[in-house]
Amino acid sequence: MLGRSAECNVVIADPRVSRRHAMIRRQDDGYWFFDLGSFNGSYLNGARVTAARKLSPGDVLEFADNLYRFDQWGSSIGESEDGEEGFGSSTIALIRSTPVIILVSDVAGFTSLSEKLPPDDLAQVIGGWYGSCEMILGRHGATVDKFIGDCVLAYWTQVTPETHAAALRAARELIEACGQIQAGHEEIFSTIGQKFHSGVAINVGKVAYGGMSQREFTLVGDPVNLTFRLENITREMGEPVLVTGDFLRDWPQGRHYCESLGVRQVKGRAQPVEVWRVREYPE
């Protein structure tokens, strides 16, 4: 995260720079640069950034006359400094199998937004949403696994009553952030007659967790797939936040905040799933 706020990883002390101005994020295929809906814009090699751009070593980033150069250092995995491969220069991935709390949030109607909004406006809106997700989830102790287009996957590696409550608080703030983005771009949304909102699904399950490749540290397993499936039905059920019975199984006090919607068949799964809606949130 780059910006004027002290919460950013790179703090740029310039009043012309937005508090959360831009973000560099490592994806599976390299490092990508996003403008987070900044007031004065971000520039890459002299050109304004209006959509996500993949970075290359030597690229120059500019924020209101503040210049930074992007560089990458180090050898590829399994390759020594003289270019020879060897076991001694490789790192063996450590994969753990552990219960985690999983959260998935997805922007509703993104295809329609993409069709109706000019690319510059769409980049500003989604960039702002990315920034909000990073800040909210980080504040509540979650790790953002990845952004997949208009969707975010995050998780907590500690499964405790405190992290269960933190997940619900994060879900509430993610929903509220959509309203703030809507208000901040009201002129854009009023022209297309569409609201900016998202759905959130939360689940608990045992997953494989660790370095799956040199550039990817992630989690995989059936509970992850189930969380994505559950988020897909938030709009079908008209509920912004849904959780599974597994999320509440070892957190009985969580039933105070939730209401059962019964057992539902989820696409792609033979076993039905107990689904709960969140009716209030922990303070």
Side-chain angles (χ1 to χ4, degrees), residues 100 102 145-146 153-155 207-210 212 217-221 224:
V100 297
I102 308 159
D145 182 273
K146 60 170 68 73
L153 168 64
Y155 57 92
V207 302
Y209 159 80
M212 302 301 169
F217 191 91
T218 189
L219 64 160
V220 295
V224 180

Side-chain angles (χ1 to χ4, degrees), residues 108-119 122 126 150 192 194:
F110 182 72
T111 301
S112 177
L113 282 177
S114 302
E115 292 174 347
K116 295 176 180 178
L117 289 180
L122 183 65
I126 295 301
D150 59 324
I192 63 173
Q194 187 167 334

Side-chain angles (χ1 to χ4, degrees), residues 4-267:
R4 201 174 73 248
S5 171
E7 296 178 330
C8 291
N9 307 105
V10 178
V11 179
I12 307 173
D14 187 324
R16 298 170 297 174
V17 173
S18 297
R19 290 181 56 79
R20 290 178 293 154
H21 198 103
M23 174 174 67
I24 296 173
R25 183 165 187 84
R26 190 173 71 180
Q27 305 284 86
D28 297 349
D29 57 346
Y31 291 85
W32 287 78
F33 179 67
F34 304 84
D35 181 86
L36 300 179
S38 65
F39 186 80
N40 289 311
S42 303
Y43 292 80
L44 174 61
N45 299 326
R48 183 161 184 169
V49 174
T50 58
R53 296 282 301 278
K54 188 176 181 181
L55 294 174
S56 300
D59 279 346
V60 175
L61 306 175
E62 180 180 351
F63 314 97
D65 299 329
N66 299 275
L67 301 179
Y68 293 84
R69 188 179 70 185
F70 174 79
D71 280 305
Q72 291 174 277
W73 297 88
S75 302
S76 298
I77 189 168
E79 183 178 327
S80 59
E81 290 185 2
D82 59 6
E84 295 182 358
E85 294 185 359
F87 178 79
S89 62
S90 300
T91 300
I92 299 174
L94 175 62
I95 307 296
R96 297 180 177 89
S97 180
T98 181
V100 297
I101 296 175
I102 308 159
L103 181 148
V104 171
S105 183
D106 182 75
V107 175
F110 182 72
T111 301
S112 177
L113 282 177
S114 302
E115 292 174 347
K116 295 176 180 178
L117 289 180
D120 287 9
D121 290 341
L122 183 65
Q124 295 290 308
V125 170
I126 295 301
W129 183 74
Y130 281 178
S132 295
C133 290
E134 288 271 8
M135 298 296 287
I136 291 167
L137 291 164
R139 185 164 59 246
H140 289 285
T143 297
V144 175
D145 182 273
K146 60 170 68 73
F147 287 99
I148 312 168
D150 59 324
C151 181
V152 62
L153 168 64
Y155 57 92
W156 288 259
T157 55
Q158 298 295 317
V159 181
T160 66
E162 291 75 19
T163 52
H164 276 80
L168 289 187
R169 295 189 193 102
R172 175 182 60 190
E173 292 187 23
L174 289 172
I175 297 301
E176 292 172 347
C178 289
Q180 294 165 3
I181 291 172
Q182 170 90 28
H185 299 86
E186 191 58 48
E187 186 177 343
I188 292 176
F189 286 104
S190 63
T191 61
I192 63 173
Q194 187 167 334
K195 297 289 186 181
F196 187 81
H197 61 280
S198 66
V200 179
I202 310 175
N203 186 25
V204 170
K206 197 170 187 179
V207 302
Y209 159 80
M212 302 301 169
S213 69
Q214 181 191 6
R215 295 188 178 277
E216 185 175 17
F217 191 91
T218 189
L219 64 160
V220 295
D222 181 65
V224 180
N225 298 332
L226 172 57
T227 313
F228 276 97
R229 297 291 191 186
L230 183 63
E231 195 286 325
N232 284 338
I233 66 173
T234 56
R235 288 169 287 284
E236 174 188 329
M237 302 187 72
E239 297 290 342
V241 183
L242 295 175
V243 304
T244 63
D246 288 338
F247 178 75
L248 297 172
R249 182 162 292 116
D250 296 322
W251 187 46
Q253 57 268 46
R255 294 171 182 259
H256 171 76
Y257 306 108
C258 302
E259 178 184 343
S260 176
L261 298 177
V263 176
R264 290 186 62 90
Q265 196 70 42
V266 178
K267 183 179 179 181

